[in-house]
């Protein structure tokens, strides 16, 4: 579970970097996505990613079942993996929210008509407040999930040392906080900051 979690953490960081290309404009974003789709290795990476997701969900569910079965009678099986934080107490709920978000994300961005171009599809979708609210909620769930998940994964893999643990925790927290970047991207287009920048004479591409 820890290894698949870290791999997924790596994926979301890379995916965030990819989506920051939106700020570089249409040519940069579409050029990158088109290049990925044209690469013969990409379908294998996609299947690998799906298998990692499935492994994470199955092992996560198994840990919960084991916790439940091994809990002494009269105790709640909730105090697993060290001290409690909002992140650790809500892991199951944030996991369910991320899964629901991902299904929505795949239906709206992945398995849909891309003929207008990826940049146009994404920026047009982010003009809709309901769409953006779902993206902000998804990013918040992801940030909360990773606030516990990252450092818990490092600990499980044995990267635990009195001297380095505070830095490992800080790194996990930074990765978690960076997930708000997904929300900021969507809010940027919702507020039409690109349109205002274009009106102010900055050289940005605007899709209305
Ligand atoms: C600003 C927010 C986001 C934008 C603009 C965005 C954009 C996209 C686009 C355009 C695709 C389709 C690419 C293709 O058809 O190959 C995609 C795929 C995907 N996204 Fe996102 N995404 C965002 C947030 C997220 C988040 C938060 C997650 C994870 C929780 C995520 C996970 C995925 C996955 C798993 C795929 C499928 C990968 C693939 O098939 O290549 N995305 N995203």
């Amino acid at each position: 579970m820890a290894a698949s979690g870290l791999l997924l953490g790596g994926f979301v960081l890379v995916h965030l970097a990819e989506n920051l290309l939106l700020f570089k404009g249409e040519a940069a974003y579409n050029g990158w996505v088109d290049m990925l789709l044209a690469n013969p290795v990409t379908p294998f990476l996609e299947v690998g990613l799906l298998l990692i997701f499935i492994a994470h969900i199955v092992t996560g569910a198994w840990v919960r079942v084991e916790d439940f079965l091994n809990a002494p009678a009269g105790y709640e099986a909730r105090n697993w993996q060290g001290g409690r934080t909002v992140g650790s107490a809500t892991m199951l709920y944030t996991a369910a929210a991320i899964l629901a978000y991902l299904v929505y994300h795949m239906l709206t961005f992945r398995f849909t008509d891309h003929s207008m171009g990826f940049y146009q599809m994404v920026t047009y979708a982010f003009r809709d407040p309901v769409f953006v609210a779902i993206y902000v909620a998804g990013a918040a769930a992801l940030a909360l999930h990773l606030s516990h998940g990252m450092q818990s994964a490092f600990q499980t893999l044995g990267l635990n040392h009195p001297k380095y643990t505070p830095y490992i925790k800080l790194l996990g927290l930074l990765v978690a906080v960076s997930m708000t970047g997904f929300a900021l991207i969507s809010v940027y287009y919702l507020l039409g900051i690109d349109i205002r920048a274009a009106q102010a004479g900055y050289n940005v591409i605007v899709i209305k």
Side-chain angles (χ1 to χ4, degrees):
M1 185 184 188
S4 58
L6 284 185
L7 287 172
L8 291 175
F11 164 74
V12 284
L13 277 180
V14 171
H15 197 51
L16 177 62
E18 289 178 312
N19 283 304
L20 288 175
L21 277 175
L22 284 164
F23 296 136
K24 278 202 86 183
E26 183 181 6
Y29 192 71
N30 286 352
W32 173 254
V33 182
D34 289 342
M35 191 270 284
L36 275 186
L37 293 182
N39 192 323
V41 177
T42 301
F44 296 101
L45 292 178
E46 286 182 330
V47 172
L49 187 62
L50 181 66
L51 292 177
I52 295 169
F53 263 114
I54 293 172
H56 196 64
I57 293 169
V58 170
T59 49
W62 180 243
V63 166
R64 285 298 167 126
V65 170
E66 267 194 330
D67 266 359
F68 181 75
L69 295 177
N70 295 336
Y75 282 82
E76 282 189 85
R78 289 165 82 196
N79 242 341
W80 54 302
Q81 293 182 5
R84 299 202 81 194
T85 60
V86 181
S88 70
T90 54
M91 286 306 267
L92 199 59
Y93 306 109
T94 50
I98 294 165
L99 192 59
Y101 164 80
L102 263 176
V103 171
Y104 183 73
H105 185 47
M106 291 302 102
L107 292 176
T108 49
F109 280 178
R110 177 70 178 82
F111 301 107
T112 188
D113 177 19
H114 297 138
S115 56
M116 68 165 86
F118 283 93
Y119 180 88
Q120 286 82 345
M121 174 188 77
V122 170
T123 55
Y124 183 76
F126 287 160
R127 304 283 183 220
D128 176 354
V130 176
F131 199 94
V132 169
I134 293 170
Y135 270 68
V136 170
L142 192 56
L144 203 53
H145 197 76
L146 293 189
S147 73
H148 176 71
M150 291 302 286
Q151 54 124 339
S152 160
F154 284 131
Q155 225 169 59
T156 305
L157 294 177
L159 299 174
N160 210 355
H161 185 278
K163 204 167 149 195
Y164 302 116
T165 300
Y167 298 107
I168 289 173
K169 281 191 173 175
L170 182 66
L171 180 71
L173 202 63
L174 285 178
V175 173
V177 170
S178 71
M179 293 302 114
T180 54
F182 285 116
L184 292 178
I185 293 173
S186 60
V187 170
Y188 174 89
Y189 291 101
L190 177 70
L191 297 180
I193 298 175
D194 55 331
I195 297 174
R196 279 178 234 187
Q199 282 165 350
Y202 290 100
N203 187 19
V204 296
I205 295 150
V206 174
I207 307 294
K208 289 186 188 145

